[in-house]
Amino acid sequence: MSGASGGGKDGRLGWGERIGYGLGDLASNLYFQMFNMFLLFYYTDVFGISAVAAGWIFLLSRIWDAVNDPVMGILADRTRTRWGSFRPYILWFAVPFGVAGYLMFYSPDLSPGMKIAYAAVTYLAVQMLYTAVNIPYSGLMAVIHPSSAERARVSSIRFIFAFLGGWVIVQFLPPLKESLGGGDDVLGFRNTMAIFATLATVLFLITFASTRERVAPEVKTSSRAEILADLKTLLRTRPWLILVFAGLINLMAVAIKNGSNIYYFKYVVGNEVEVASFGSGGWMAMILGVMCTGVLIKFFEKRQLIIWLTIIGGIGMALPYWIDPELRITLPGLETGAYTIFGLEMTSIEFFPENPRWIYLINLIGSFAAGPPVALVWTMYTDVAAFIRWKHNRRITGLVVSAAVFSQKFGMALGGWFAAVLMAWCGFKSNVEQTDDSKHAILLLFSLIPAVLIVVQGISIFFYRLTDSQMKRIELELEADESAAAQPTGS
């Protein structure tokens, strides 16, 4: 396998490879967070299809993913090339993924029925290509280094870049949309996505070029019996089942919360542009939280840290239900004003605006708490892959992470469907003054509903029993077994 060497002199990966790997999640999140934060809004308020139609597109596409995602994981586990098992898919599908993402926001002038069909086809195509790139990308982290501690470092860096992708979307989409569209939202979204899609493609290619696979693959057949054995092993692995459930619940909450932000500021607060400063501050707080992960895991076990931080994050999500959005904090001496980035006017998009609303401060605290759990959960998936190798002597890394990606995508789709159906049921109509029932539904989606889901996620991790000390013992035993297997036998 290409790049079987072990990294730096101390056995750790070099910073070039860590950052190169992280850039792949920046690329992924230029799509993922675009969908998460703005796709439902784009479909209802720009492309012009109903919230119910958009919700069903999100949900029904996941039926295909139930087949497509595990197949991609099984395929990646059995791929053997000079570039490895997972890296080649990043190379092969980066460009098609970029093209499909652009077409998704192309917004052709069609009849109402054909608009729904176009949205469904392009959404399904993008999700399939997301699978083809992101499952191998996620699987790559499990084979980039044999040490769980080193994978935790890589995961922390990865999610700094992942959250940076969310910040880029919320910070730059509004001014780019205005600048490139000249007031036409259709043209603005189309041209802005052309930039994001091109950038994502380049970043994926950098990830391919800068990373290596170091954990040798098991020789696997593609027989039906072998595939069924892999699936049975996965389904009887309790830590994996718990992580899949937690991931599904988490992404439901994230999809509901982030997707409702723009509706909340447009229809409840009455100032759509403030979603940028609100979201920008939240993403910066999440990045800071991820940067603190390495320090926090020195004092707390991963499992305990996730439980408590998710509960804190859930409380932070719930509080805005009872807080008047007009309630502001007076900060004497703080002065903010107009500024530009790359020539774009950012007058209404400030990290911490003058006399900010109380909900801004609460969002910063909750977002900071949400950062470390995301990075740590992905480290746990790689731990589960090592646990399965140790307990069942099977290497099914691709299958393990494919289910993780599926749970994320299904959670996001289920959250988007739920939000769309609830808003439609309460009488939501795009681009008009909302009824009290519709505003209350948006407020629930912005606060209490995702808060309850986040707390459920934290409780579910309580039942995850792979401790850090147990993983160290498993890694030592796996290393000893592989060293023994590598020794030449006597004549």
Side-chain angles (χ1 to χ4, degrees):
M1 178 184 298
S2 175
S5 59
K9 293 181 180 180
D10 58 357
R12 295 185 179 185
L13 297 177
W15 277 101
E17 188 165 2
R18 291 175 181 174
I19 292 172
Y21 182 78
L23 290 175
D25 224 358
L26 171 56
S28 291
N29 276 275
L30 292 177
Y31 283 86
F32 191 79
Q33 298 303 340
M34 183 78 155
F35 304 158
N36 197 9
M37 292 186 282
F38 293 106
L39 186 57
L40 179 59
F41 176 82
Y42 167 79
Y43 279 155
T44 60
D45 286 38
V46 179
F47 194 38
I49 65 176
S50 70
V52 171
W56 281 108
I57 288 171
F58 296 157
L59 189 61
L60 293 177
S61 66
R62 300 288 79 82
I63 295 174
W64 171 240
D65 277 339
V67 176
N68 185 46
D69 287 4
V71 167
M72 187 67 239
I74 290 168
L75 184 62
D77 280 331
R78 287 160 174 78
T79 298
R80 301 292 178 265
T81 74
R82 62 192 179 95
W83 299 307
S85 297
F86 301 102
R87 290 173 61 237
Y89 290 99
I90 301 172
L91 173 65
W92 296 336
F93 290 104
V95 173
F97 191 26
V99 173
Y102 170 72
L103 292 176
M104 190 175 182
F105 287 87
Y106 187 76
S107 193
D109 186 12
L110 301 169
S111 67
M114 288 304 295
K115 281 188 175 183
I116 294 174
Y118 183 88
V121 170
T122 53
Y123 182 77
L124 183 60
V126 167
Q127 292 302 318
M128 288 179 64
L129 288 163
Y130 183 90
T131 294
V133 173
N134 210 261
I135 285 175
Y137 171 77
S138 299
L140 174 59
M141 192 172 78
V143 298
I144 202 169
H145 202 281
S147 165
S148 177
E150 185 60 26
R151 293 195 302 270
R153 295 185 189 97
V154 172
S155 184
S156 296
I157 294 165
R158 167 190 179 179
F159 281 98
I160 289 173
F161 282 100
F163 294 153
L164 182 62
W167 176 82
V168 167
I169 292 297
V170 78
Q171 182 79 9
F172 286 97
L173 185 140
L176 279 173
K177 177 171 68 70
E178 290 301 314
S179 176
L180 299 177
D184 182 345
D185 281 350
V186 169
L187 190 61
F189 268 98
R190 180 189 300 165
N191 292 339
T192 300
M193 194 58 198
I195 294 173
F196 289 151
T198 301
L199 179 59
T201 300
V202 171
L203 292 173
F204 275 131
L205 295 176
I206 292 173
T207 296
F208 165 79
S210 60
T211 56
R212 297 293 181 267
E213 298 182 21
R214 292 176 175 80
V215 178
E218 178 185 17
V219 177
K220 299 180 76 70
T221 69
S222 298
S223 68
R224 181 178 179 182
E226 183 73 14
I227 292 172
L228 287 175
D230 285 352
L231 290 170
K232 288 178 180 177
T233 299
L234 198 61
L235 292 173
R236 68 174 186 259
T237 303
R238 183 179 176 182
W240 174 82
L241 293 171
I242 292 169
L243 289 181
V244 167
F245 175 79
L248 187 149
I249 295 297
N250 175 267
L251 264 294
M252 277 187 65
V254 169
I256 291 170
K257 176 65 170 64
N258 287 350
S260 67
N261 284 351
I262 190 166
Y263 291 103
Y264 178 78
F265 280 95
K266 180 175 181 178
Y267 296 112
V268 178
V269 174
N271 188 357
E272 178 184 334
V273 295
E274 281 195 50
V275 71
S277 53
F278 180 84
S280 179
W283 285 110
M284 287 293 101
M286 290 182 81
I287 291 172
L288 181 60
V290 174
M291 292 174 67
C292 294
T293 302
V295 175
L296 291 172
I297 60 176
K298 292 180 180 179
F299 301 98
F300 304 97
E301 191 175 50
K302 292 197 291 275
R303 171 177 164 274
Q304 295 173 336
L305 197 57
I306 290 175
I307 291 170
W308 287 110
L309 287 178
T310 50
I311 291 173
I312 292 171
I315 294 171
M317 281 187 179
L319 287 176
Y321 182 79
W322 294 280
I323 296 177
D324 183 347
E326 293 303 321
L327 190 62
R328 293 180 179 270
I329 308 167
T330 301
L331 297 173
L334 177 66
E335 295 183 3
T336 58
Y339 61 98
T340 61
I341 299 180
F342 304 128
L344 297 172
E345 294 294 332
M346 314 294 277
T347 54
S348 62
I349 306 172
E350 302 167 8
F351 170 64
F352 203 72
E354 193 171 346
N355 295 330
R357 302 175 191 271
W358 264 103
I359 57 173
Y360 279 45
L361 179 61
I362 293 167
N363 183 53
L364 291 177
I365 296 170
S367 297
F368 176 86
V374 177
L376 293 174
V377 163
W378 277 99
T379 303
M380 289 166 136
Y381 275 114
T382 65
D383 289 348
V384 168
F387 170 76
I388 291 173
R389 283 171 51 208
W390 170 77
K391 185 171 183 178
H392 302 291
N393 196 29
R394 304 194 74 85
R395 296 179 189 261
I396 53 174
T397 302
L399 193 55
V400 168
V401 298
S402 71
V405 173
F406 171 72
S407 71
Q408 284 197 328
K409 289 164 65 178
F410 187 74
M412 188 173 73
L414 197 59
W417 170 83
F418 177 84
V421 170
L422 180 63
M423 288 197 306
W425 184 59
C426 291
F428 172 81
K429 302 291 183 183
S430 63
N431 297 311
V432 298
E433 178 66 24
Q434 301 302 312
T435 65
D436 288 342
D437 285 345
S438 179
K439 288 182 179 179
H440 188 241
I442 292 171
L443 178 59
L444 286 171
L445 294 169
F446 181 76
S447 56
L448 283 185
I449 293 173
V452 170
L453 291 171
I454 285 293
V455 172
V456 170
Q457 177 209 356
I459 293 171
S460 69
I461 296 296
F462 177 80
F463 300 96
Y464 178 90
R465 300 300 185 188
L466 278 181
T467 65
D468 291 349
S469 58
Q470 186 178 358
M471 283 309 305
K472 290 179 181 178
R473 179 171 59 85
I474 287 172
E475 288 172 5
L476 289 173
E477 291 186 18
L478 286 172
E479 185 178 352
D481 290 344
E482 290 175 2
S483 296
Q487 295 295 323
T489 57
S491 56

